[in-house]
Amino acid sequence: MLDKVIYVIRLSRYISQRENISLLTLFLEMLVLYITKRLGPLLYFEARLWRKGLSLRKKMRYFNESQYKRRINELNPEAYRKFSNNKLVEKSILTLLGIPTAEFIGYLHSATGSDCEGNQLINCQQFKDFLLLHDGEKLCFKLTEGWGGTGFLAVLVSKGEKGLYLSSLVEKSKKIPVNKFFDMYLLNNIHHGFVIESYIKQHDILANLNESSVNTLRVWVIQQDEKVKVVGALLRLGREGQLVDNSNQGGIICLLNLTTGKIKQGMTTGIIPCEFDRHPDSGAQLSGVQLPFWRESMNLAKSCLRVFPNTNFVGLDIAISVSGPIIVELNQEPDKVGARSFDQPHADLLRY
């Protein structure tokens, strides 16, 4: 508790000096928001509620964690969230209803695993036989119920003199025999299951920003009274050498013009973010870059929401390939902190 208090005081001093706002004003406002709306001091800084141009009435329309979860429960009944929490079920719905998504290759599971032809895929030997059919291909492995990029693997399958090898897409020279790869990366979680799919080749414009990761859009979409609307979108970029663009893996985000799809600026995802016009690793220009297939991406986001039963709000991850947008996954309870990039209170974004 004491550490948190010290941290809040440090944040307050920093903002006070940077924005020329008195400490008394900051502390009084935090106290009012906590007493009236139970908005804590960390949310106060995460959502930049200290901004001078933001009215107190608007600040009170932000949600704390419990208020956000309550609204999510109203929009998305908990019983139906399994459709998108389980990546195998989610992949099935997307594929059957014609929503563009990465090609499904197989499902590795210790009891119920199978490839897309119905052949069993439950152990290392069957995994080796399966890979023989995919020599030279790039494959992705996703935990069936993983989140935040945890457990994600992307590899190149190659045949050598002594058998099959798998190599990470960020360390292609490091080839690992299939048996060793299975024991190192898959065995401990095979009872949870891995969805195996083809690797998405992203559009050159996205690859130029950071090549090692498939960089994705995070799009918030809401449906009310049969009308579907995109309420916010940002671009997520990985860091050099990282396979994923998730913020908990060090990724950064870019603010976007929702109408045009142009990048405004890049920023880190900390409570006090660092802002920049170029990618901190690649040096690639960010500000002003026009994202390809923007209108198609927004239309796909709306179409995707419509196909999931009793689902009225999602945070979608969308990759942009050389031929157009592709759904990576759905999040029926996306991180509420991400909403600060949309510069609107939660109550307005979620029509409360």
Short mmCIF file of all heavy atoms in Angstrom, two decimals, residues 128-190:
data_model
loop_
_atom_site.label_atom_id
_atom_site.label_comp_id
_atom_site.label_asym_id
_atom_site.label_seq_id
_atom_site.Cartn_x
_atom_site.Cartn_y
_atom_site.Cartn_z
N LYS A 128 5.18 -35.44 -35.88
CA LYS A 128 6.23 -35.54 -36.90
C LYS A 128 5.63 -35.91 -38.26
O LYS A 128 6.00 -35.35 -39.29
CB LYS A 128 7.27 -36.57 -36.47
CG LYS A 128 8.13 -36.12 -35.31
CD LYS A 128 9.00 -37.25 -34.78
CE LYS A 128 10.11 -37.59 -35.75
NZ LYS A 128 11.03 -38.60 -35.15
N ASP A 129 4.72 -36.86 -38.26
CA ASP A 129 4.06 -37.26 -39.51
C ASP A 129 3.28 -36.10 -40.11
O ASP A 129 3.26 -35.91 -41.33
CB ASP A 129 3.13 -38.45 -39.27
CG ASP A 129 3.88 -39.71 -38.84
OD1 ASP A 129 5.10 -39.79 -39.11
OD2 ASP A 129 3.25 -40.60 -38.22
N PHE A 130 2.64 -35.35 -39.24
CA PHE A 130 1.87 -34.17 -39.66
C PHE A 130 2.79 -33.14 -40.31
O PHE A 130 2.47 -32.57 -41.37
CB PHE A 130 1.17 -33.60 -38.42
CG PHE A 130 0.64 -32.20 -38.55
CD1 PHE A 130 -0.55 -31.94 -39.21
CD2 PHE A 130 1.35 -31.14 -38.01
CE1 PHE A 130 -1.04 -30.65 -39.32
CE2 PHE A 130 0.87 -29.84 -38.11
CZ PHE A 130 -0.33 -29.60 -38.77
N LEU A 131 3.94 -32.89 -39.71
CA LEU A 131 4.86 -31.87 -40.23
C LEU A 131 5.46 -32.25 -41.57
O LEU A 131 5.83 -31.37 -42.36
CB LEU A 131 5.97 -31.61 -39.21
CG LEU A 131 5.57 -30.90 -37.92
CD1 LEU A 131 6.77 -30.75 -37.00
CD2 LEU A 131 4.95 -29.53 -38.20
N LEU A 132 5.57 -33.55 -41.84
CA LEU A 132 6.09 -33.99 -43.14
C LEU A 132 5.26 -33.44 -44.29
O LEU A 132 5.77 -33.22 -45.40
CB LEU A 132 6.11 -35.53 -43.20
CG LEU A 132 7.26 -36.22 -42.46
CD1 LEU A 132 7.01 -37.72 -42.41
CD2 LEU A 132 8.60 -35.91 -43.13
N LEU A 133 3.99 -33.20 -44.04
CA LEU A 133 3.09 -32.66 -45.07
C LEU A 133 3.23 -31.15 -45.22
O LEU A 133 2.63 -30.56 -46.12
CB LEU A 133 1.64 -33.01 -44.72
CG LEU A 133 1.32 -34.50 -44.54
CD1 LEU A 133 -0.12 -34.66 -44.06
CD2 LEU A 133 1.53 -35.25 -45.85
N HIS A 134 4.04 -30.54 -44.35
CA HIS A 134 4.15 -29.08 -44.34
C HIS A 134 5.59 -28.60 -44.43
O HIS A 134 5.93 -27.52 -43.94
CB HIS A 134 3.46 -28.51 -43.10
CG HIS A 134 2.00 -28.86 -43.02
ND1 HIS A 134 1.04 -28.20 -43.75
CD2 HIS A 134 1.34 -29.84 -42.33
CE1 HIS A 134 -0.15 -28.73 -43.52
NE2 HIS A 134 0.01 -29.74 -42.66
N ASP A 135 6.42 -29.40 -45.06
CA ASP A 135 7.83 -29.03 -45.25
C ASP A 135 7.92 -27.72 -46.02
O ASP A 135 7.25 -27.53 -47.05
CB ASP A 135 8.55 -30.14 -46.01
CG ASP A 135 10.02 -29.83 -46.25
OD1 ASP A 135 10.61 -29.12 -45.40
OD2 ASP A 135 10.56 -30.27 -47.28
N GLY A 136 8.74 -26.79 -45.51
CA GLY A 136 8.93 -25.51 -46.18
C GLY A 136 7.89 -24.45 -45.83
O GLY A 136 7.97 -23.31 -46.31
N GLU A 137 6.93 -24.79 -44.97
CA GLU A 137 5.86 -23.84 -44.61
C GLU A 137 6.16 -23.15 -43.28
O GLU A 137 6.88 -23.67 -42.43
CB GLU A 137 4.52 -24.57 -44.52
CG GLU A 137 4.04 -25.16 -45.84
CD GLU A 137 2.69 -25.84 -45.70
OE1 GLU A 137 1.94 -25.49 -44.76
OE2 GLU A 137 2.38 -26.72 -46.53
N LYS A 138 5.55 -21.99 -43.11
CA LYS A 138 5.61 -21.25 -41.86
C LYS A 138 4.30 -21.51 -41.10
O LYS A 138 3.22 -21.29 -41.66
CB LYS A 138 5.79 -19.75 -42.10
CG LYS A 138 7.12 -19.39 -42.74
CD LYS A 138 7.21 -17.89 -43.01
CE LYS A 138 8.53 -17.53 -43.66
NZ LYS A 138 8.62 -16.06 -43.96
N LEU A 139 4.42 -21.99 -39.87
CA LEU A 139 3.25 -22.33 -39.07
C LEU A 139 3.24 -21.58 -37.75
O LEU A 139 4.30 -21.23 -37.21
CB LEU A 139 3.23 -23.84 -38.78
CG LEU A 139 3.24 -24.80 -39.97
CD1 LEU A 139 3.25 -26.24 -39.47
CD2 LEU A 139 2.05 -24.55 -40.88
N CYS A 140 2.04 -21.35 -37.22
CA CYS A 140 1.87 -20.71 -35.91
C CYS A 140 1.20 -21.68 -34.96
O CYS A 140 0.33 -22.46 -35.36
CB CYS A 140 0.98 -19.47 -36.04
SG CYS A 140 1.68 -18.17 -37.03
N PHE A 141 1.60 -21.61 -33.69
CA PHE A 141 1.00 -22.41 -32.63
C PHE A 141 0.43 -21.45 -31.58
O PHE A 141 1.15 -20.60 -31.06
CB PHE A 141 2.04 -23.32 -31.97
CG PHE A 141 2.63 -24.34 -32.90
CD1 PHE A 141 3.63 -23.98 -33.80
CD2 PHE A 141 2.19 -25.65 -32.89
CE1 PHE A 141 4.19 -24.92 -34.66
CE2 PHE A 141 2.75 -26.60 -33.75
CZ PHE A 141 3.74 -26.23 -34.63
N LYS A 142 -0.86 -21.61 -31.28
CA LYS A 142 -1.51 -20.76 -30.29
C LYS A 142 -2.17 -21.62 -29.24
O LYS A 142 -2.90 -22.57 -29.57
CB LYS A 142 -2.59 -19.88 -30.94
CG LYS A 142 -2.08 -18.88 -31.96
CD LYS A 142 -3.24 -18.09 -32.54
CE LYS A 142 -2.78 -17.05 -33.54
NZ LYS A 142 -3.93 -16.29 -34.12
N LEU A 143 -1.93 -21.31 -27.97
CA LEU A 143 -2.64 -22.01 -26.91
C LEU A 143 -4.14 -21.81 -27.10
O LEU A 143 -4.60 -20.70 -27.38
CB LEU A 143 -2.22 -21.48 -25.54
CG LEU A 143 -0.88 -21.99 -25.00
CD1 LEU A 143 -0.48 -21.19 -23.77
CD2 LEU A 143 -0.97 -23.47 -24.67
N THR A 144 -4.89 -22.87 -26.91
CA THR A 144 -6.33 -22.81 -27.18
C THR A 144 -7.02 -21.73 -26.36
O THR A 144 -7.94 -21.07 -26.85
CB THR A 144 -6.99 -24.18 -26.86
OG1 THR A 144 -6.26 -25.20 -27.54
CG2 THR A 144 -8.43 -24.20 -27.34
N GLU A 145 -6.57 -21.52 -25.13
CA GLU A 145 -7.16 -20.48 -24.31
C GLU A 145 -6.09 -19.56 -23.74
O GLU A 145 -6.19 -19.07 -22.62
CB GLU A 145 -8.02 -21.10 -23.20
CG GLU A 145 -9.21 -21.88 -23.75
CD GLU A 145 -10.24 -22.23 -22.70
OE1 GLU A 145 -10.20 -21.65 -21.60
OE2 GLU A 145 -11.10 -23.08 -22.99
N GLY A 146 -5.05 -19.30 -24.53
CA GLY A 146 -4.01 -18.36 -24.12
C GLY A 146 -4.43 -16.92 -24.38
O GLY A 146 -5.40 -16.65 -25.08
N TRP A 147 -3.70 -15.99 -23.81
CA TRP A 147 -4.00 -14.56 -24.02
C TRP A 147 -2.70 -13.77 -23.94
O TRP A 147 -1.69 -14.22 -23.41
CB TRP A 147 -5.00 -14.04 -22.97
CG TRP A 147 -4.46 -14.07 -21.58
CD1 TRP A 147 -4.46 -15.14 -20.73
CD2 TRP A 147 -3.82 -13.01 -20.86
NE1 TRP A 147 -3.85 -14.82 -19.54
CE2 TRP A 147 -3.45 -13.52 -19.59
CE3 TRP A 147 -3.52 -11.69 -21.17
CZ2 TRP A 147 -2.81 -12.73 -18.64
CZ3 TRP A 147 -2.88 -10.91 -20.22
CH2 TRP A 147 -2.53 -11.44 -18.98
N GLY A 148 -2.73 -12.57 -24.50
CA GLY A 148 -1.58 -11.67 -24.41
C GLY A 148 -0.33 -12.18 -25.11
O GLY A 148 0.77 -11.77 -24.79
N GLY A 149 -0.49 -13.10 -26.08
CA GLY A 149 0.66 -13.63 -26.78
C GLY A 149 1.38 -14.75 -26.05
O GLY A 149 2.36 -15.30 -26.56
N THR A 150 0.88 -15.13 -24.85
CA THR A 150 1.52 -16.19 -24.07
C THR A 150 1.47 -17.52 -24.81
O THR A 150 0.41 -17.93 -25.29
CB THR A 150 0.82 -16.34 -22.71
OG1 THR A 150 0.85 -15.10 -22.01
CG2 THR A 150 1.52 -17.41 -21.87
N GLY A 151 2.60 -18.18 -24.93
CA GLY A 151 2.65 -19.48 -25.57
C GLY A 151 2.67 -19.45 -27.08
O GLY A 151 2.71 -20.52 -27.72
N PHE A 152 2.65 -18.28 -27.68
CA PHE A 152 2.62 -18.19 -29.15
C PHE A 152 3.96 -18.59 -29.73
O PHE A 152 5.02 -18.18 -29.26
CB PHE A 152 2.28 -16.76 -29.57
CG PHE A 152 2.30 -16.55 -31.07
CD1 PHE A 152 1.22 -16.92 -31.86
CD2 PHE A 152 3.42 -15.99 -31.69
CE1 PHE A 152 1.25 -16.75 -33.23
CE2 PHE A 152 3.45 -15.81 -33.06
CZ PHE A 152 2.36 -16.18 -33.84
N LEU A 153 3.92 -19.40 -30.79
CA LEU A 153 5.12 -19.85 -31.48
C LEU A 153 4.91 -19.69 -32.98
O LEU A 153 3.81 -19.95 -33.49
CB LEU A 153 5.41 -21.32 -31.17
CG LEU A 153 5.64 -21.70 -29.71
CD1 LEU A 153 5.54 -23.21 -29.53
CD2 LEU A 153 7.01 -21.20 -29.23
N ALA A 154 5.93 -19.26 -33.69
CA ALA A 154 5.90 -19.17 -35.14
C ALA A 154 7.18 -19.78 -35.67
O ALA A 154 8.28 -19.34 -35.30
CB ALA A 154 5.75 -17.73 -35.60
N VAL A 155 7.06 -20.79 -36.52
CA VAL A 155 8.23 -21.55 -36.94
C VAL A 155 8.23 -21.82 -38.44
O VAL A 155 7.19 -21.75 -39.11
CB VAL A 155 8.30 -22.92 -36.20
CG1 VAL A 155 8.38 -22.72 -34.69
CG2 VAL A 155 7.10 -23.79 -36.56
N LEU A 156 9.41 -22.15 -38.93
CA LEU A 156 9.58 -22.61 -40.30
C LEU A 156 9.89 -24.11 -40.24
O LEU A 156 10.78 -24.53 -39.50
CB LEU A 156 10.73 -21.87 -40.99
CG LEU A 156 11.13 -22.37 -42.38
CD1 LEU A 156 9.99 -22.13 -43.38
CD2 LEU A 156 12.41 -21.69 -42.84
N VAL A 157 9.15 -24.89 -41.00
CA VAL A 157 9.38 -26.33 -41.08
C VAL A 157 10.36 -26.61 -42.21
O VAL A 157 10.17 -26.14 -43.34
CB VAL A 157 8.07 -27.10 -41.33
CG1 VAL A 157 8.33 -28.61 -41.32
CG2 VAL A 157 7.01 -26.73 -40.30
N SER A 158 11.43 -27.37 -41.93
CA SER A 158 12.40 -27.69 -42.98
C SER A 158 12.93 -29.10 -42.80
O SER A 158 13.05 -29.60 -41.69
CB SER A 158 13.57 -26.69 -42.97
OG SER A 158 14.24 -26.71 -41.73
N LYS A 159 13.24 -29.73 -43.92
CA LYS A 159 13.73 -31.10 -43.90
C LYS A 159 15.24 -31.08 -44.11
O LYS A 159 15.75 -30.42 -45.01
CB LYS A 159 13.05 -31.92 -45.00
CG LYS A 159 13.31 -33.42 -44.94
CD LYS A 159 12.63 -34.15 -46.09
CE LYS A 159 11.12 -34.02 -46.02
NZ LYS A 159 10.46 -34.81 -47.11
N GLY A 160 15.95 -31.82 -43.25
CA GLY A 160 17.40 -31.92 -43.36
C GLY A 160 17.84 -33.36 -43.55
O GLY A 160 17.01 -34.27 -43.69
N GLU A 161 19.14 -33.59 -43.53
CA GLU A 161 19.69 -34.93 -43.74
C GLU A 161 19.27 -35.90 -42.64
O GLU A 161 19.12 -37.09 -42.88
CB GLU A 161 21.22 -34.86 -43.80
CG GLU A 161 21.75 -34.11 -45.01
CD GLU A 161 23.27 -34.11 -45.04
OE1 GLU A 161 23.89 -34.68 -44.10
OE2 GLU A 161 23.83 -33.52 -45.99
N LYS A 162 19.06 -35.38 -41.42
CA LYS A 162 18.73 -36.24 -40.29
C LYS A 162 17.27 -36.15 -39.88
O LYS A 162 16.90 -36.55 -38.78
CB LYS A 162 19.64 -35.91 -39.11
CG LYS A 162 21.11 -36.18 -39.37
CD LYS A 162 21.95 -35.90 -38.14
CE LYS A 162 23.42 -36.19 -38.39
NZ LYS A 162 24.27 -35.93 -37.19
N GLY A 163 16.44 -35.57 -40.74
CA GLY A 163 15.02 -35.49 -40.43
C GLY A 163 14.47 -34.08 -40.50
O GLY A 163 15.07 -33.19 -41.13
N LEU A 164 13.34 -33.88 -39.83
CA LEU A 164 12.67 -32.58 -39.85
C LEU A 164 13.19 -31.67 -38.74
O LEU A 164 13.54 -32.13 -37.65
CB LEU A 164 11.16 -32.76 -39.65
CG LEU A 164 10.32 -33.14 -40.88
CD1 LEU A 164 8.88 -33.38 -40.46
CD2 LEU A 164 10.38 -32.06 -41.96
N TYR A 165 13.20 -30.37 -39.06
CA TYR A 165 13.63 -29.37 -38.09
C TYR A 165 12.62 -28.23 -38.05
O TYR A 165 11.92 -27.96 -39.04
CB TYR A 165 15.01 -28.81 -38.47
CG TYR A 165 16.13 -29.81 -38.40
CD1 TYR A 165 16.42 -30.62 -39.49
CD2 TYR A 165 16.88 -29.96 -37.24
CE1 TYR A 165 17.45 -31.55 -39.44
CE2 TYR A 165 17.92 -30.90 -37.17
CZ TYR A 165 18.19 -31.69 -38.28
OH TYR A 165 19.20 -32.60 -38.22
N LEU A 166 12.55 -27.58 -36.91
CA LEU A 166 11.73 -26.38 -36.75
C LEU A 166 12.64 -25.25 -36.29
O LEU A 166 13.48 -25.43 -35.42
CB LEU A 166 10.63 -26.61 -35.72
CG LEU A 166 9.60 -27.69 -36.06
CD1 LEU A 166 8.65 -27.90 -34.90
CD2 LEU A 166 8.83 -27.31 -37.31
N SER A 167 12.48 -24.10 -36.90
CA SER A 167 13.28 -22.94 -36.51
C SER A 167 12.38 -21.74 -36.30
O SER A 167 11.42 -21.52 -37.06
CB SER A 167 14.34 -22.62 -37.57
OG SER A 167 13.77 -22.51 -38.86
N SER A 168 12.65 -20.98 -35.24
CA SER A 168 11.87 -19.77 -34.95
C SER A 168 12.02 -18.78 -36.08
O SER A 168 13.09 -18.65 -36.69
CB SER A 168 12.34 -19.15 -33.64
OG SER A 168 11.80 -17.85 -33.48
N LEU A 169 10.98 -18.03 -36.37
CA LEU A 169 11.04 -17.05 -37.45
C LEU A 169 11.93 -15.87 -37.11
O LEU A 169 12.25 -15.07 -37.99
CB LEU A 169 9.63 -16.56 -37.80
CG LEU A 169 8.70 -17.63 -38.39
CD1 LEU A 169 7.40 -17.00 -38.86
CD2 LEU A 169 9.36 -18.38 -39.53
N VAL A 170 12.33 -15.73 -35.83
CA VAL A 170 13.28 -14.66 -35.49
C VAL A 170 14.70 -15.19 -35.32
O VAL A 170 15.64 -14.42 -35.18
CB VAL A 170 12.84 -13.91 -34.20
CG1 VAL A 170 11.54 -13.18 -34.42
CG2 VAL A 170 12.74 -14.87 -33.02
N GLU A 171 14.85 -16.52 -35.33
CA GLU A 171 16.18 -17.14 -35.27
C GLU A 171 16.21 -18.30 -36.26
O GLU A 171 16.35 -19.46 -35.88
CB GLU A 171 16.50 -17.65 -33.86
CG GLU A 171 16.66 -16.56 -32.82
CD GLU A 171 17.04 -17.14 -31.47
OE1 GLU A 171 16.12 -17.52 -30.73
OE2 GLU A 171 18.24 -17.20 -31.18
N LYS A 172 16.12 -17.97 -37.54
CA LYS A 172 15.97 -18.99 -38.57
C LYS A 172 17.18 -19.92 -38.67
O LYS A 172 17.06 -21.05 -39.14
CB LYS A 172 15.69 -18.33 -39.92
CG LYS A 172 14.37 -17.57 -39.95
CD LYS A 172 14.12 -16.91 -41.28
CE LYS A 172 12.83 -16.11 -41.26
NZ LYS A 172 12.59 -15.40 -42.54
N SER A 173 18.35 -19.45 -38.25
CA SER A 173 19.54 -20.27 -38.34
C SER A 173 19.60 -21.34 -37.24
O SER A 173 20.36 -22.30 -37.34
CB SER A 173 20.80 -19.39 -38.27
OG SER A 173 20.85 -18.71 -37.02
N LYS A 174 18.79 -21.17 -36.22
CA LYS A 174 18.77 -22.11 -35.09
C LYS A 174 17.70 -23.17 -35.34
O LYS A 174 16.53 -22.97 -35.02
CB LYS A 174 18.50 -21.35 -33.79
CG LYS A 174 18.61 -22.22 -32.54
CD LYS A 174 18.35 -21.38 -31.29
CE LYS A 174 18.42 -22.22 -30.04
NZ LYS A 174 18.13 -21.42 -28.82
N LYS A 175 18.12 -24.30 -35.90
CA LYS A 175 17.18 -25.37 -36.24
C LYS A 175 17.11 -26.39 -35.11
O LYS A 175 18.14 -26.87 -34.64
CB LYS A 175 17.61 -26.04 -37.54
CG LYS A 175 17.56 -25.11 -38.76
CD LYS A 175 17.90 -25.85 -40.04
CE LYS A 175 17.77 -24.91 -41.24
NZ LYS A 175 18.06 -25.60 -42.51
N ILE A 176 15.88 -26.71 -34.71
CA ILE A 176 15.67 -27.64 -33.60
C ILE A 176 14.99 -28.90 -34.11
O ILE A 176 13.96 -28.81 -34.79
CB ILE A 176 14.80 -26.99 -32.51
CG1 ILE A 176 15.40 -25.66 -32.05
CG2 ILE A 176 14.60 -27.93 -31.32
CD1 ILE A 176 14.54 -24.89 -31.08
N PRO A 177 15.55 -30.09 -33.83
CA PRO A 177 14.88 -31.34 -34.22
C PRO A 177 13.46 -31.38 -33.64
O PRO A 177 13.21 -30.87 -32.54
CB PRO A 177 15.77 -32.43 -33.61
CG PRO A 177 17.10 -31.78 -33.44
CD PRO A 177 16.82 -30.33 -33.12
N VAL A 178 12.56 -32.03 -34.35
CA VAL A 178 11.15 -32.04 -33.95
C VAL A 178 10.96 -32.61 -32.54
O VAL A 178 10.21 -32.05 -31.73
CB VAL A 178 10.31 -32.85 -34.97
CG1 VAL A 178 8.88 -33.01 -34.45
CG2 VAL A 178 10.30 -32.15 -36.31
N ASN A 179 11.63 -33.72 -32.23
CA ASN A 179 11.49 -34.33 -30.89
C ASN A 179 11.85 -33.34 -29.79
O ASN A 179 11.13 -33.21 -28.78
CB ASN A 179 12.39 -35.57 -30.76
CG ASN A 179 11.84 -36.75 -31.51
OD1 ASN A 179 10.78 -36.65 -32.13
ND2 ASN A 179 12.54 -37.87 -31.46
N LYS A 180 12.96 -32.64 -29.98
CA LYS A 180 13.42 -31.68 -28.98
C LYS A 180 12.47 -30.49 -28.89
O LYS A 180 12.13 -30.02 -27.80
CB LYS A 180 14.82 -31.20 -29.33
CG LYS A 180 15.45 -30.30 -28.29
CD LYS A 180 16.89 -29.94 -28.66
CE LYS A 180 17.51 -29.03 -27.59
NZ LYS A 180 18.91 -28.67 -27.96
N PHE A 181 11.99 -30.01 -30.04
CA PHE A 181 11.04 -28.90 -30.06
C PHE A 181 9.75 -29.29 -29.33
O PHE A 181 9.22 -28.51 -28.54
CB PHE A 181 10.72 -28.52 -31.51
CG PHE A 181 9.77 -27.37 -31.65
CD1 PHE A 181 10.23 -26.06 -31.72
CD2 PHE A 181 8.39 -27.58 -31.70
CE1 PHE A 181 9.35 -24.99 -31.85
CE2 PHE A 181 7.51 -26.52 -31.82
CZ PHE A 181 8.00 -25.23 -31.90
N PHE A 182 9.27 -30.49 -29.59
CA PHE A 182 8.05 -30.98 -28.95
C PHE A 182 8.20 -30.99 -27.44
O PHE A 182 7.32 -30.52 -26.70
CB PHE A 182 7.73 -32.38 -29.47
CG PHE A 182 6.41 -32.92 -29.02
CD1 PHE A 182 5.27 -32.70 -29.76
CD2 PHE A 182 6.31 -33.68 -27.85
CE1 PHE A 182 4.03 -33.20 -29.34
CE2 PHE A 182 5.10 -34.18 -27.42
CZ PHE A 182 3.96 -33.95 -28.18
N ASP A 183 9.34 -31.51 -26.96
CA ASP A 183 9.57 -31.60 -25.51
C ASP A 183 9.77 -30.22 -24.89
O ASP A 183 9.29 -29.96 -23.77
CB ASP A 183 10.81 -32.46 -25.23
CG ASP A 183 10.58 -33.93 -25.54
OD1 ASP A 183 9.41 -34.33 -25.65
OD2 ASP A 183 11.58 -34.66 -25.70
N MET A 184 10.44 -29.31 -25.60
CA MET A 184 10.76 -27.99 -25.05
C MET A 184 9.56 -27.05 -25.01
O MET A 184 9.35 -26.31 -24.04
CB MET A 184 11.88 -27.33 -25.87
CG MET A 184 13.26 -27.94 -25.68
SD MET A 184 14.47 -27.23 -26.82
CE MET A 184 14.45 -25.49 -26.31
N TYR A 185 8.75 -27.07 -26.07
CA TYR A 185 7.74 -26.01 -26.23
C TYR A 185 6.29 -26.49 -26.20
O TYR A 185 5.39 -25.67 -25.98
CB TYR A 185 7.98 -25.27 -27.54
CG TYR A 185 9.32 -24.58 -27.62
CD1 TYR A 185 10.32 -25.05 -28.47
CD2 TYR A 185 9.59 -23.46 -26.83
CE1 TYR A 185 11.55 -24.41 -28.54
CE2 TYR A 185 10.82 -22.83 -26.90
CZ TYR A 185 11.80 -23.31 -27.75
OH TYR A 185 13.02 -22.67 -27.81
N LEU A 186 6.05 -27.78 -26.43
CA LEU A 186 4.66 -28.22 -26.58
C LEU A 186 4.19 -29.19 -25.49
O LEU A 186 3.03 -29.15 -25.09
CB LEU A 186 4.48 -28.89 -27.96
CG LEU A 186 4.84 -28.04 -29.17
CD1 LEU A 186 4.69 -28.85 -30.45
CD2 LEU A 186 3.98 -26.78 -29.24
N LEU A 187 5.08 -30.03 -25.02
CA LEU A 187 4.69 -31.12 -24.13
C LEU A 187 3.97 -30.65 -22.87
O LEU A 187 2.95 -31.22 -22.47
CB LEU A 187 5.92 -31.96 -23.75
CG LEU A 187 5.65 -33.22 -22.93
CD1 LEU A 187 4.74 -34.17 -23.70
CD2 LEU A 187 6.96 -33.93 -22.60
N ASN A 188 4.48 -29.59 -22.23
CA ASN A 188 3.90 -29.14 -20.96
C ASN A 188 2.48 -28.60 -21.10
O ASN A 188 1.73 -28.55 -20.12
CB ASN A 188 4.80 -28.07 -20.32
CG ASN A 188 6.08 -28.65 -19.75
OD1 ASN A 188 6.17 -29.85 -19.52
ND2 ASN A 188 7.07 -27.81 -19.55
N ASN A 189 2.12 -28.17 -22.31
CA ASN A 189 0.79 -27.59 -22.49
C ASN A 189 -0.08 -28.36 -23.48
O ASN A 189 -1.15 -27.89 -23.85
CB ASN A 189 0.92 -26.14 -22.99
CG ASN A 189 1.31 -25.18 -21.88
OD1 ASN A 189 0.65 -25.11 -20.84
ND2 ASN A 189 2.40 -24.46 -22.09
N ILE A 190 0.36 -29.57 -23.87
CA ILE A 190 -0.40 -30.32 -24.86
C ILE A 190 -1.79 -30.70 -24.34
O ILE A 190 -2.73 -30.87 -25.11
CB ILE A 190 0.38 -31.56 -25.35
CG1 ILE A 190 -0.27 -32.13 -26.60
CG2 ILE A 190 0.50 -32.59 -24.24
CD1 ILE A 190 0.53 -33.23 -27.26
#
